[in-house]
């Protein structure tokens, strides 16, 4: 059974800092890994999708890496902004379902 | 192309009543997934459906919960005789192919169920 752990559970940083969110998983037999953003009272927004054959993906200020052998992924956010404040979810895709981490709640202080 | 639509966005029910949550997938998508997010917990898979078929319901509680995705119309998640522990956000996602490797799921905004 896949288990996904995200560390830290909460993070508060001043605006402009670079930061890293961590995700670890127990079963490397995955199809893909996604990072989602969840805003309070709203749905989920997919940020980056890494296929199992890839090692990283980049979009703007975001960079996500995947190391299946060690069961780890990181989400790097450069030059953080208050608008980045949200909960970030690491999600593992297997044959028919997604397994979600519990999320990292990020607060970027102006 | 409209995204995944869920309604209602907020639903309040008293204990013992029935809750019906609707999900309209993106145009062209024939695969629907339901997830539940309990307070202070992560999202958990409930059920995966194709048109008129339940493919995987391994995450669905055995009693009171049912799901359908008819040939015409939205997918319905039905909760009978709701209890306070059913209070959660229920998210629906859809995908065009249902293939884990190349397919991605697109999420709706969720329905927040509150049981009084």
């Amino acid at each position: 059974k896949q288990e996904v752990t995200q560390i830290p559970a909460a993070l508060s940083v001043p605006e402009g800092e670079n930061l890293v969110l961590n995700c670890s998983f127990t079963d490397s037999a995955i199809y893909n890994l996604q990072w989602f953003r969840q805003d309070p009272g709203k749905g989920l927004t997919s940020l980056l999708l890494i296929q199992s054959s890839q090692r990283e993906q980049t979009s703007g200020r975001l960079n996500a890496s995947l190391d299946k052998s060690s069961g780890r992924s990181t989400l790097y956010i450069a030059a953080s902004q208050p608008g980045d404040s949200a909960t970030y979810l690491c999600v593992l895709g297997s044959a028919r379902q997604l397994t979600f981490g519990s999320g990292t709640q990020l607060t970027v202080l102006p | 192309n409209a995204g995944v639509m869920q309604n209602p966005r907020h639903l309040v029910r008293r204990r013992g009543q029935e809750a019906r949550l609707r999900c309209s997938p993106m145009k062209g998508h024939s695969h629907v997934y339901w997830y539940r997010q309990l307070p202070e917990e992560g999202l958990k898979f409930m059920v995966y459906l194709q048109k008129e078929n339940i493919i995987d319901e391994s995450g669905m509680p055995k009693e009171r919960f049912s799901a359908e995705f008819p040939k015409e119309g939205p997918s319905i998640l039905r909760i009978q005789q709701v209890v306070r522990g059913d209070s959660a956000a229920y998210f629906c996602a859809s995908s065009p192919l249902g293939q884990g490797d190349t397919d991605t799921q697109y999420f709706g905004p969720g329905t927040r169920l509150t049981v009084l």
Side-chain angles (χ1 to χ4, degrees):
Chain A
K1 179 184 174 184
Q2 179 72 273
E3 293 184 6
V4 183
T5 303
Q6 290 189 245
I7 295 174
L11 180 63
S12 183
V13 301
E15 182 177 5
E17 270 203 11
N18 303 324
L19 58 101
V20 175
L21 306 182
N22 296 293
C23 171
S24 61
F25 49 94
T26 55
D27 186 352
S28 62
I30 62 172
Y31 285 172
N32 55 51
L33 183 146
Q34 292 186 76
W35 283 91
F36 281 86
R37 169 181 174 145
Q38 184 175 25
D39 293 279
K42 296 185 180 180
L44 304 171
T45 302
S46 181
L47 300 173
L48 290 165
L49 168 68
I50 310 176
Q51 301 292 355
S52 62
S53 58
Q54 299 174 326
R55 294 191 64 85
E56 68 175 339
Q57 283 287 334
T58 298
S59 176
R61 295 182 294 109
L62 304 179
N63 176 276
S65 68
L66 172 63
D67 185 345
K68 287 201 307 179
S69 61
S70 65
R72 295 181 188 277
S73 174
T74 61
L75 178 66
Y76 175 81
I77 303 176
S80 58
Q81 303 171 357
D84 295 331
S85 298
T87 297
Y88 290 81
L89 299 170
C90 171
V91 183
L92 279 297
S94 58
R96 284 174 177 162
Q97 59 180 265
L98 303 179
T99 304
F100 288 76
S102 54
T104 293
Q105 186 173 355
L106 173 66
T107 303
V108 180
L109 304 170
Chain B
N1 188 7
V4 177
M5 299 174 68
Q6 290 188 247
N7 67 82
R9 295 291 305 278
H10 301 274
L11 181 62
V12 179
R13 285 288 179 266
R14 296 190 180 281
R15 281 180 297 170
Q17 292 183 320
E18 178 180 287
R20 280 178 170 258
L21 289 63
R22 297 177 191 78
C23 169
S24 296
M26 288 181 69
K27 186 176 181 180
H29 289 193
S30 58
H31 302 262
V32 166
Y33 311 76
W34 285 93
Y35 297 84
R36 177 168 65 173
Q37 185 175 32
L38 293 166
E40 309 304 323
E41 295 187 19
L43 284 87
K44 292 191 179 348
F45 167 80
M46 298 182 74
V47 62
Y48 162 42
L49 310 103
Q50 294 179 24
K51 286 281 187 181
E52 301 184 281
N53 286 303
I54 296 175
I55 306 302
D56 183 350
E57 56 181 349
S58 59
M60 192 90 101
K62 299 298 182 201
E63 298 177 350
R64 301 186 298 107
F65 285 72
S66 62
E68 62 177 11
F69 188 17
K71 187 176 181 180
E72 300 291 337
S75 175
I76 305 288
L77 179 66
R78 181 183 178 203
I79 312 172
Q80 296 178 288
Q81 299 176 323
V82 295
V83 300
R84 288 210 174 115
D86 297 332
S87 295
Y90 292 82
F91 289 93
C92 167
S94 73
S95 68
L97 302 173
Q99 295 174 5
D101 192 22
T102 58
D103 209 12
T104 192
Q105 296 180 21
Y106 297 84
F107 281 79
T111 293
R112 278 151 185 81
L113 172 65
T114 301
V115 179
L116 302 176

